[in-house]
Amino acid sequence: MLVAFVIAQAQEKLPIDVKDLSRASCYGSGVVEKSFIAPPEAFSKRLKSTDGNGATINVEYVNFPEDAQAAFDYAVGIWESLLKSPITINMNVTWEDLDEGVLGNCTPSNYYENFDAAPLADTYYPIALVEKLEGKEITDASSPDIFASFSSDVNWYFGIDGNTPIEKYDFVTVVLHEITHGLGFTGMIMADEDIAGYGYIEYHPGVFDRNVVNQDQEHLTDTSLFENPSSELYEEITSNYLLYKSETAKSFNEDDSYPRLYAPTTYDEGSSVYHLNEYTYMSGNSNSLMTPQIGQGEAIHDPGAFVLGIFADMGWEYTSISHDHLKDMEAVSEPIEMSAEIISDTELDSTSVVLHFTSSEFENEEITYDMTYDSSTDLFITMLPALPDGNYKYYISAADTSETTYSLPARAPEEYFSFVVGEDTTTPELSHDPVVYMLESNQFVDIDVTATDNLGIKDVEIEYIINDQSPNEKLLTAGSNDLYTTQLSFDGLVDGDSIRYRIIATDASSNANTYTLPEPEEGYFTFYVEGLYEPVTIYENDFDSESRDFISDDFSIYTGENFDNGALHSPHPYLSPETEDGSYNYVTMLKYPIILTANTKMRYKEVVLVEPGESGTDFKDVEFWDYVIVEGSKNGEDNWLPLIDGYDSGDNVSWSNYYVQNISGNNSEADGNKSYFRQREINLTENGHFAVEDTIYIRFRLYSDPYAHGWGWVIDNLLIKEIETGISLEEESAEDILIYPNPVEESLNISGLFNGGVKKVEVFILNSTGLTVYRRSLDVSGNILSESLDLGSLSSGFYFVTIRFEDGKSVTKRIVKR
């Protein structure tokens, strides 16, 4: 998962994306190191206690054997006895094949910086620690905070007694090791060749990284000493001497020194920096759990004092203050209640809780209010007097019995909460992802709107118009996290019907300030009813005329610049979200389901100018970056499966060269044109996801990762039909045959000019289900074909006209009969 800091082809990935951070790994040494470190005293006490103090770690097991789960639960219990957090820590763990020698690996699922309770600015904290500091769930409770994997191909000992046989690896030990990484014994530092650096969208380190120092106790994150990224930083992480500057951990060391980290002279992804030094804390040492290797027969059931000291200084030993800060308000005639919940991992001095308040600057004019404990609510409370109009600032502080003071915001008074008292003229703010379309079979759409206001929201309303009827109004229902929702239900709408709508939010002020989305001069959001058509065995579209055959708000049919005819275009350029965990999917779906036969094939010509993956990567590899893909689904709504693996500009050397030669910054400025069209052919049953007689929906999807992007994708001359075995899809050029007019009413003209050798052709006309409704042989005289077909007896609809030559090749075009 290593990301190069300078990627030659496509993108510069410092700052980096969380998905690209290496998972810290634990390796088997292959050497017998028989020893046992017993569980900590806190674990034994918790087993005998019923007070419930500590933490709760919830584990979702994937493919785990039962005996492994029992040992895992035992290891979880050890860490639960050593931590304190009011928020459940959720883990997702898998039992799978890992690289040779790897016993397990682990990573936090996400990182956050600059949240209210963050002790350090511009520093990334692992999500489990963020939730502990904030005292609330940040991600959804069902979302894992930690991901871990364990090898299914290891001779494990699943006992919990520490008596590990010398030919086995102790599973409890490895689980404790990996959970430690997931809780935060990891960070952002990575290396490629002789360059090292750190970053995560911004060039900011992780909280662990902040205290990594060299032999001279110089911080590696001090950019005045070590540029990020740089070869100098690489020299430090391969110096064989790094320390973790934790005063708490140092206090546990007999020689009063800081813990030594693992920094081998050859950088080892997954081991370097984020382990204790293997040769300082050898087998049998009470701090040996977090060395990079575990020996056979070695059992370590205690994270060790150094790890606990490091974690304490990172924030796992903390006094958390939770408070819903005040919004703006209008005239205030009554006292204002201020409350906070305070949870201390040590012992709180309940007399120390103070509200700091000012209408100026804290250093010039500060008023303090003692906050007293209310046992009925478990909150600390004080009352602000009625306030005149003005701007106000405040923060809350509390101290433990060791006189260590904590604040919210954590970096107060430099950071603080603020509110305004007085007439409100600020309009609400709205965020909404417009509806793209509604299926005719559903007859409803869900509307979600995020609405915020400095003073508060009174209501959020949707105004909608069906076709050209009179407007309708409906109030949205308020939920949590400023989310407002409703469902619009319809009856009897059919393919092509339209719904226009807009969102109107009104705040709770006396002025009833409103905001409309989209803004009035922009009109309305519009979406259409999309009906799914009857299944067909043949589909063809040259995209030379407008068509409602595709459902899409992302792709459009038009004649692009540098192209001669209509085609199906993605956005040009397509965009990338430029956020750490974002991605975009540009999608269009064919409304005709396809009935598969043994030889159903799809052919189209295309230009693909999307970011190529790293050399040697394949689809689904982390560094494959952007791609395009054709997918199928039996219901057209979910369970989309590849009809062909995703591909990118690297699929064709001319695309790749053109893309790379036009890179500017992260993005390519190469514009698509007809000279880069290349043909593609897909056997729709060859992939194994679908079988003969299945009926499937087909969609085209362009995936864009968080960073670089290019021009996009264009598709033309799409043909789906059964091709007889042995007949190639490399047919006569469609430009050699003219079939007109289209649409046709009575007579269809067919003409062609050939180089020679063509004496006779056969014309087949098939309806949308593949049934032949017209067949005729035509003579070619003097290399010229010119005939008129009477189609007056055919009913209205679309048909496929196939011209078959004597050598078995053919040309197929779609026509519309009026």
Side-chain angles (χ1 to χ4, degrees), residues 249-264:
K250 179 182 177 182
S251 69
F252 295 133
N253 204 351
E254 293 179 358
D255 63 3
D256 197 36
S257 63
Y258 296 117
R260 185 169 173 179
L261 299 176
Y262 185 61

Side-chain angles (χ1 to χ4, degrees), residues 488-596:
L488 300 182
S489 297
F490 307 95
D491 184 34
L493 297 187
V494 297
D495 182 65
D497 284 341
S498 67
I499 295 92
R500 291 176 291 155
Y501 72 96
R502 59 185 180 182
I503 311 294
I504 304 167
T506 305
D507 71 11
S509 71
S510 59
N511 289 329
N513 302 301
T514 64
Y515 183 76
T516 302
L517 188 71
E519 295 187 2
E521 61 270 19
E522 297 175 359
Y524 293 82
F525 296 119
T526 302
F527 64 91
Y528 290 89
V529 178
E530 301 285 0
L532 299 179
Y533 301 153
E534 291 298 315
V536 298
T537 57
I538 297 174
Y539 180 80
E540 191 264 351
N541 197 333
D542 60 12
F543 301 107
D544 287 341
S545 58
E546 290 189 13
S547 167
R548 288 193 48 80
D549 292 1
F550 288 84
I551 297 175
S552 179
D553 192 47
D554 300 325
F555 283 67
S556 301
I557 297 172
Y558 61 91
T559 301
E561 186 176 357
N562 303 321
F563 293 88
D564 293 336
N565 307 100
L568 183 63
H569 290 263
S570 75
H572 303 313
Y574 67 93
L575 300 180
S576 45
E578 306 296 339
T579 60
E580 67 270 21
D581 55 355
S583 63
Y584 291 151
N585 283 287
Y586 300 95
V587 179
T588 186
M589 186 182 88
L590 178 62
K591 290 159 70 171
Y592 286 97
I594 304 299
I595 303 170
L596 299 181

Side-chain angles (χ1 to χ4, degrees), residues 646-667:
Y647 54 96
D648 56 27
S649 291
D651 193 67
N652 181 276
V653 66
S654 64
W655 295 339
S656 179
N657 289 341
Y658 185 42
Y659 185 101
V660 172
Q661 289 166 5
N662 288 276
I663 288 178
S664 176
N666 262 6
N667 306 318

Side-chain angles (χ1 to χ4, degrees), residues 594-761:
I594 304 299
I595 303 170
L596 299 181
T597 67
N599 296 302
T600 301
K601 295 186 179 181
M602 173 190 292
R603 183 189 67 178
Y604 51 89
K605 61 181 185 179
E606 63 182 338
V607 180
V608 178
L609 295 175
V610 305
E611 179 193 14
E614 294 306 298
S615 178
T617 58
D618 296 317
F619 177 57
K620 293 187 178 179
D621 288 346
V622 171
E623 296 179 354
F624 196 71
W625 311 139
D626 300 348
Y627 58 84
V628 299
I629 190 168
V630 186
E631 298 169 310
S633 165
K634 291 184 178 181
N635 61 18
E637 296 181 10
D638 52 22
N639 296 319
W640 290 96
L641 300 171
L643 296 168
I644 184 174
D645 280 353
Y647 54 96
D648 56 27
S649 291
D651 193 67
N652 181 276
V653 66
S654 64
W655 295 339
S656 179
N657 289 341
Y658 185 42
Y659 185 101
V660 172
Q661 289 166 5
N662 288 276
I663 288 178
S664 176
N666 262 6
N667 306 318
S668 175
E669 297 178 350
D671 287 329
N673 65 72
K674 64 182 179 181
S675 66
Y676 286 94
F677 266 129
R678 299 294 181 268
Q679 193 92 329
R680 185 167 301 277
E681 177 181 320
I682 306 171
N683 186 320
L684 300 187
T685 56
E686 191 175 65
N687 57 78
H689 292 309
F690 302 102
V692 174
E693 297 185 0
D694 279 348
T695 297
I696 66 169
Y697 294 87
I698 293 173
R699 75 176 185 181
F700 299 88
R701 177 167 65 92
L702 189 162
Y703 169 82
S704 175
D705 77 358
Y707 303 101
H709 59 258
W711 179 80
W713 193 14
V714 62
I715 298 162
D716 200 6
N717 292 351
L718 174 63
L719 173 64
I720 305 171
K721 71 173 183 177
E722 181 178 14
I723 306 300
E724 297 176 13
T725 304
I727 301 299
S728 171
L729 273 176
E730 295 299 323
E731 302 165 352
E732 295 287 333
S733 170
E735 285 73 20
D736 293 336
I737 298 288
L738 295 178
I739 301 176
Y740 62 95
N742 189 14
V744 60
E745 294 185 355
E746 298 291 338
S747 296
L748 181 69
N749 300 314
I750 299 177
S751 63
L753 178 63
F754 308 102
N755 293 327
V758 178
K759 304 299 182 184
K760 186 182 292 292
V761 298

